[in-house]
């Protein structure tokens, strides 16, 4: 039997890396490459080493936490 070659979010979370490339980061965060690049740049989480570009996921996570909505801001009950 052949194993499903889709993206495994549980495996990605367990093997969480501090630095990821754009291609891998957009899969982990569940967004397109251009949106991931935009957010990473706004978060000042981008590092360039020669031709390689890496994103610091710790910095990115802190940046994203600033946008968390409280229960008052989100109607969770559907009322």
């Amino acid at each position: 039997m052949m194993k499903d070659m889709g993206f495994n979010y549980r495996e990605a979370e367990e093997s969480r890396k501090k630095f990821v490339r754009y291609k891998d980061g957009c899969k982990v965060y569940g967004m397109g490459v251009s949106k991931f690049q935009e957010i990473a740049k706004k978060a000042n989480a981008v590092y360039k080493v020669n031709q390689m570009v890496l994103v610091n996921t710790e910095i990115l996570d802190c940046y994203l936490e600033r946008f968390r909505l409280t229960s008052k801001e989100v109607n969770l009950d559907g009322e």
Side-chain angles (χ1 to χ4, degrees):
M1 179 187 279
M2 204 167 176
K3 186 179 177 184
D4 181 21
M5 299 305 286
F7 189 76
N8 187 332
Y9 289 96
R10 175 179 277 163
E11 184 179 304
E13 185 64 33
E14 291 172 357
S15 65
R16 184 75 180 226
K17 295 179 181 179
K18 182 174 179 177
F19 294 98
V20 295
R21 293 178 186 231
Y22 286 140
K23 181 180 174 185
D24 299 325
C26 69
K27 291 178 183 176
V28 171
Y29 286 87
M31 59 182 77
V33 176
S34 60
K35 181 54 79 173
F36 182 75
Q37 289 174 335
E38 176 187 334
I39 292 172
K41 289 175 184 175
K42 286 182 180 179
N44 292 319
V46 179
Y47 293 73
K48 186 168 183 184
V49 182
N50 297 325
Q51 297 294 316
M52 182 174 47
V53 177
L54 299 170
V55 176
N56 184 321
T57 59
E58 293 173 356
I59 294 172
L60 186 63
D61 288 341
C62 289
Y63 176 78
L64 290 174
E65 284 295 328
R66 296 174 30 196
F67 299 98
R68 184 177 62 136
L69 300 177
T70 64
S71 59
K72 291 179 182 178
E73 295 170 315
V74 177
N75 187 353
L76 299 176
D77 297 328
E79 296 175 352

